[in-house]
Amino acid sequence: MKIMKFGGTSVGKPERMHQVSQLITKNSEPTIVVLSALSGTTNSLVGISDALAKLDKQGAISIIDTLEKHYRSFILDLLQSEELRAKANAIIDEHFEFLKITQRISLSDALNKDILAQGELMSTKLFSLYLEQEKIEHALIPALEFMRLDANEEPDLMVIREKLNLILAAHPTKKLFITQGYICRNAKGEVDNLKRGGSDYTASLIAAAVKASVCEIWTDIDGMHNNDPRVVDKTIAIEQLSFDEAAELAYFGAKILHPTCIWPAQQENIPVKLLNTMEPSAAGTVIKKEAGTVGVKAVAAKDGIIAVKIKSSRMLLAYGFLRKIFEVFEKYKTPIDMITTSEVAVSVTIDSDLHLAEIVAELSNIASVEIDKEQTIVTIVGNEIAQTASVLKKLFDAIDEVPVTMVSYGGSSHNISLLLPSTYKTKTLQLINRGLFNL
Ligand code: ASP
Ligand code: MG
């Protein structure tokens, strides 16, 4: 079994759906296709919920109307026969009637999740009609019947595996399955989702559930690049990454892949390929157990970082001090990204200020605390870079003029992270592109 996931832009136009249909019928291996909502739809659905939350009915209605017009004209290009267009219009009727009804009920968390689910439900149903038109045998399998969260709001891989295998077994002659990315049910059985950009996660979870041969993520760029193309002039696609390297890059800013999507594939050792719908023959990036070549592979940056600098002379020769600090962050469910220590001080970074005030208040009982906001983590990823001769020298020569505030090195053999004021991000990425990648 093979998994192929297509993002919003890959299904965002009728001609793209045509391309997708060609890509998914090329191979003879049984395939599960995971689709996002048409590009822009989830943003509009978020807009509808936001308007409803502000009791701005007019605002919500106007977004709903614009979106509905988009779908009505989309299907005219997608489908040729009156019969299929009528079926498509009935699908659009059903989902937009639901969106219009939401105006008359008060917005709850559960209703909000239901609103957000409409995009993937529509994209897959319309794509299924397109496959019907092209006489491509397939089965549409509803993600809401097998994608499950547990009581901790984490995907429940055991349940997903059990339910999905039952559904697949019910279609013994089918070789092509279509399902929704992003949406799922929670432990209470309500409609929920895997958070924005979560379709990649769906694909990886399904791949792990059925122990697929490969999990292909199709987007509109030719793989993961060595640097941010919006910031530097020249970037190159990376051929191969290990799961750990990819997770590091995805978490620290590479937008192409959702960071959570690595672990399910890694757990079952399933290669993840990042491929380009516009250029299907390009090699893309493969993510697997082995890292491939040794050396520096990529740099990524994550903004919105807050540095918490904790200093206490009581830390001198004391044990248990770090534990006390970590307990404060744990209590407020705030993950720490980077950490550096000296004998009397610890600096950590966090990416959310949700509980910052409480954290600072508690830490102040045991130490003096300073906060630096608007920081950026620049992380350099590669295979065995900690052991690669002169990487550190080259790096610091290249960024000589940047006021680096924290350095984390040696925590793993594939990563060096720097903290710097966000105003220096662009400059730093450009200097590293020249100094470490010779681009
Ligand atoms: N449609 C959802 C979003 O835009 C999920 C996804 O595309 O991955 O966030
Ligand atoms: Mg996406």
Side-chain angles (χ1 to χ4, degrees):
M1 187 72 85
K2 171 175 173 174
I3 313 303
M4 298 174 86
K5 179 259 168 177
F6 294 88
T9 46
S10 302
V11 289
K13 293 202 173 115
E15 62 268 29
R16 297 275 155 74
M17 283 204 175
H18 168 69
Q19 265 175 314
V20 170
S21 74
Q22 290 188 316
L23 288 169
I24 61 177
T25 47
K26 250 191 192 146
N27 58 298
S28 54
E29 201 179 348
T31 304
I32 301 177
V33 175
V34 177
L35 299 185
S36 288
L38 309 194
S39 51
T41 296
T42 309
N43 284 343
S44 297
L45 297 172
V46 170
I48 294 166
S49 276
D50 286 351
L52 289 178
K54 287 185 281 183
L55 302 176
D56 173 13
K57 285 204 173 163
Q58 243 0 81
I61 289 169
S62 115
I63 303 173
I64 293 172
D65 285 347
T66 312
L67 196 62
E68 183 172 350
K69 285 201 187 90
H70 178 67
Y71 277 83
R72 300 275 179 209
S73 77
F74 187 92
I75 59 155
L76 290 182
D77 285 336
L78 184 72
L79 303 165
Q80 306 318 317
S81 76
E82 282 316 314
E83 188 202 336
L84 285 174
R85 284 181 182 174
K87 280 192 189 175
N89 274 318
I91 291 167
I92 299 174
D93 287 346
E94 176 199 333
H95 291 279
F96 279 89
E97 246 156 53
F98 167 76
L99 288 175
K100 286 168 197 163
I101 287 172
T102 62
Q103 313 301 303
R104 286 187 254 130
I105 20 188
S106 59
L107 186 71
S108 61
D109 191 38
L111 181 62
N112 175 37
K113 302 274 180 56
D114 259 321
I115 292 174
L116 296 180
Q118 302 307 305
E120 272 71 11
L121 290 171
M122 285 198 284
S123 68
T124 47
K125 289 182 188 175
L126 296 178
F127 184 64
S128 174
L129 286 182
Y130 179 73
L131 294 181
E132 195 179 323
Q133 165 175 287
E134 303 301 303
K135 308 218 164 16
I136 299 171
E137 271 273 338
H138 68 284
L140 182 60
I141 55 172
L144 296 180
E145 286 177 15
F146 62 88
M147 288 301 293
R148 276 288 183 288
L149 300 180
D150 63 19
N152 296 317
E153 294 177 29
E154 294 294 333
D156 193 332
L157 192 50
M158 295 262 280
V159 174
I160 295 170
R161 177 170 289 148
E162 200 183 293
K163 288 185 182 288
L164 178 56
N165 281 325
L166 279 176
I167 294 173
L168 295 176
H171 299 280
T173 59
K174 292 277 178 355
K175 284 201 142 64
L176 182 62
F177 301 90
I178 314 297
T179 194
Q180 298 84 19
Y182 179 59
I183 62 173
C184 60
R185 285 188 191 275
N186 59 27
K188 287 184 271 175
E190 299 161 341
V191 172
D192 210 318
N193 61 62
L194 299 174
K195 313 238 162 65
R196 292 306 306 271
S199 295
D200 294 348
Y201 201 9
T202 303
S204 175
L205 287 162
I206 291 179
V210 302
K211 302 191 197 290
S213 61
V214 61
C215 176
E216 295 182 350
I217 308 282
W218 290 81
T219 63
D220 51 1
I221 30 173
D222 57 342
M224 204 176 279
H225 277 228
N226 76 302
N227 202 332
D228 187 341
R230 292 164 304 182
V231 175
V232 299
D233 295 336
K234 190 161 183 247
T235 62
I236 42 170
I238 310 163
E239 255 171 65
Q240 185 173 334
L241 289 165
S242 68
F243 289 117
D244 291 335
E245 290 170 339
E248 213 73 80
L249 280 176
Y251 179 70
F252 285 114
K255 289 282 176 298
I256 176 168
L257 193 66
H258 201 267
T260 49
C261 109
I262 304 294
W263 75 258
Q266 182 167 22
Q267 186 173 310
E268 297 294 338
N269 197 16
I270 297 161
V272 177
K273 282 190 184 166
L274 308 180
L275 296 159
N276 185 355
T277 321
M278 314 296 162
E279 212 188 317
S281 55
T285 301
V286 57
I287 301 165
K288 52 180 174 179
K289 199 167 161 195
E290 303 80 24
T293 50
V294 167
V296 177
K297 289 188 188 166
V299 56
K302 185 171 161 76
D303 292 325
I305 303 293
I306 302 157
V308 183
K309 302 197 271 186
I310 305 147
K311 213 186 275 176
S312 169
S313 50
R314 271 191 278 163
M315 187 178 161
L316 192 70
L317 297 174
Y319 50 83
F321 190 75
L322 282 177
R323 182 175 52 79
K324 282 186 200 141
I325 291 175
F326 288 149
E327 274 170 0
V328 175
F329 288 90
E330 191 183 335
K331 179 170 170 194
Y332 294 101
K333 294 198 163 89
T334 302
I336 292 170
D337 285 333
M338 250 176 105
I339 169 158
T340 59
T341 67
S342 74
E343 187 48 43
V344 293
V346 186
S347 291
V348 303
T349 69
I350 56 178
D351 66 1
S352 157
D353 62 3
L354 199 60
H355 298 292
L356 186 60
E358 293 109 302
I359 290 171
V360 171
E362 288 210 22
L363 288 173
S364 300
N365 293 331
I366 50 171
S368 73
V369 184
E370 248 180 73
I371 299 297
D372 279 341
K373 290 195 175 181
E374 283 163 51
Q375 303 287 302
T376 292
I377 292 179
V378 169
T379 194
I380 296 125
V381 164
N383 184 18
E384 305 291 340
I385 43 173
Q387 285 91 284
T388 310
S390 72
V391 167
L392 275 191
K393 181 175 183 327
K394 269 197 203 154
L395 172 62
F396 285 102
D397 282 349
I399 59 165
D400 193 32
E401 61 201 273
V402 180
V404 175
T405 48
M406 264 172 86
V407 180
S408 173
Y409 172 74
S412 78
S413 61
H414 53 259
N415 161 292
I416 303 169
S417 292
L418 310 170
L419 188 72
L420 34 104
S422 297
T423 43
Y424 282 88
K425 172 176 108 171
T426 300
K427 174 118 235 172
T428 307
L429 290 180
Q430 287 165 347
L431 291 171
I432 290 177
N433 219 36
R434 224 171 298 142
L436 279 188
F437 295 97
N438 303 316
L439 292 173

